[in-house]
Amino acid sequence: MKYNEISHFSHPQHILKFEYTEIPFKCDGCKEVGIGSHYRCSFCDFDLHMHCAIPSLSIYHPFYTKCSFQFFYRPPGDTPRYCNACEKDITGFVYHCKSCGFDLHPCCAKLPMVLDDGEVKLYLHRKVRAPCHRCGRKGRSWSYRSGCKKYNLHVACVREMLVENWHELYFGHGKGSTRKLETRIPSLENTLQTPHKRSKGKVKKCCEMAGLALQLVISAVLGDPTALIAGVIGSLMSRA
């Protein structure tokens, strides 16, 4: 559910307003990168993912049928915690299962089980046996896999791509920077491993389909799966 304005316990001094941006921001709730729809206080440069701004008190996830995840505004306990979906550290808002000890970033917890843009359909899996098109390894974190089973992307790998390539842009120019997003994500030619011994036409088609798959997963991981941010994410793929 979307509201034009909300009040939030993490920022009680001002009302947060709904905004849409094509410039990356760091969520002040979960401390992870975001883009697209979010809530913002322009006075304080304070931003929240949609899932962080309007969290559920408790959730259940189909990958963990025996777990009940409770929302925490900071990681419980004194030991470092990591997200069981993307394997990144938990440093802010989190869904935590007390009985099993599992943790999920709010955006990871709400990742759609199916991503479908009409051309590519991707299914979220807890584990897959096929290698990831980004790292070439099997297992690891949750993965999105295409219905044709040709394309597989670890959620962890997509997060690493975003952090590696946006960290310098985001932190190097200040959080309030209005500079447009640059093509910092590596081209698909260097990022996604493509099978050898194919004709140029088939390789190009493979990269195009893999690019569509990557667009879908990036949008979901950033917390805005409904708006694919086609213009921005598309530009990131243009050098493939």
Side-chain angles (χ1 to χ4, degrees):
M1 185 178 294
K2 186 191 77 173
Y3 303 94
N4 290 330
E5 295 182 344
I6 63 169
S7 57
H8 200 272
F9 67 88
S10 65
H11 195 71
Q13 57 268 46
H14 295 116
I15 294 294
L16 304 182
K17 294 185 178 181
F18 175 83
E19 290 189 6
Y20 179 89
T21 180
E22 294 184 349
I23 300 173
F25 64 86
K26 181 180 179 181
C27 176
D28 289 287
C30 67
K31 314 302 182 185
E32 296 296 318
V33 69
I35 200 170
S37 301
H38 68 295
Y39 283 94
R40 174 174 175 78
C41 172
S42 57
F43 297 108
C44 304
D45 205 12
F46 184 92
D47 302 279
L48 290 177
H49 287 122
M50 296 289 288
H51 295 314
C52 291
I54 310 175
S56 304
L57 294 179
S58 63
I59 63 169
Y60 294 90
H61 199 280
F63 288 167
Y64 306 100
T65 56
K66 297 181 180 180
C67 293
S68 175
F69 291 90
Q70 309 298 316
F71 177 79
F72 287 81
Y73 68 92
R74 62 182 179 185
D78 298 323
T79 58
R81 311 199 69 84
Y82 71 94
C83 177
N84 288 90
C86 69
E87 297 188 332
K88 284 198 65 181
D89 291 339
I90 299 287
T91 57
F93 293 179
V94 61
Y95 284 106
H96 173 73
C97 175
K98 293 181 180 179
S99 60
C100 299
F102 294 144
D103 298 279
L104 297 173
H105 287 122
C107 287
C108 290
K110 300 297 181 68
L111 283 172
M113 297 303 293
V114 181
L115 294 172
D116 183 5
D117 74 339
E119 293 188 60
V120 178
K121 185 174 287 188
L122 302 169
Y123 299 87
L124 186 64
H125 295 266
R126 185 176 177 182
K127 290 183 180 180
V128 296
R129 295 182 179 180
C132 171
H133 277 75
R134 159 67 172 171
C135 68
R137 290 183 289 170
K138 300 178 182 180
R140 206 182 178 197
S141 72
W142 294 3
S143 299
Y144 273 107
R145 192 178 192 187
S146 62
C148 64
K149 300 182 179 181
K150 292 181 179 180
Y151 312 110
N152 176 47
L153 286 166
H154 289 141
V155 171
C157 287
V158 175
R159 279 208 175 277
E160 287 177 1
M161 288 172 61
L162 299 173
V163 172
E164 289 171 2
N165 296 280
W166 285 350
H167 188 276
E168 181 181 351
L169 171 68
Y170 185 82
F171 292 101
H173 297 87
K175 186 175 178 182
S177 173
T178 58
R179 183 172 178 175
K180 285 291 183 180
L181 183 64
E182 297 176 0
T183 305
R184 295 295 183 88
I185 288 182
S187 68
L188 296 178
E189 181 181 0
N190 300 320
T191 301
L192 300 183
Q193 300 190 4
T194 306
H196 298 291
K197 298 181 179 180
R198 291 189 178 187
S199 66
K200 290 184 178 180
K202 289 183 177 180
V203 170
K204 182 179 180 180
K205 181 63 176 178
C206 179
C207 285
E208 289 175 351
M209 297 303 291
L212 288 173
L214 186 55
Q215 290 181 43
L216 287 171
V217 179
I218 287 176
S219 299
V221 169
L222 289 175
D224 193 3
T226 57
L228 297 180
I229 318 166
V232 178
I233 302 301
S235 71
L236 299 177
M237 310 301 166
S238 62
R239 296 185 183 181

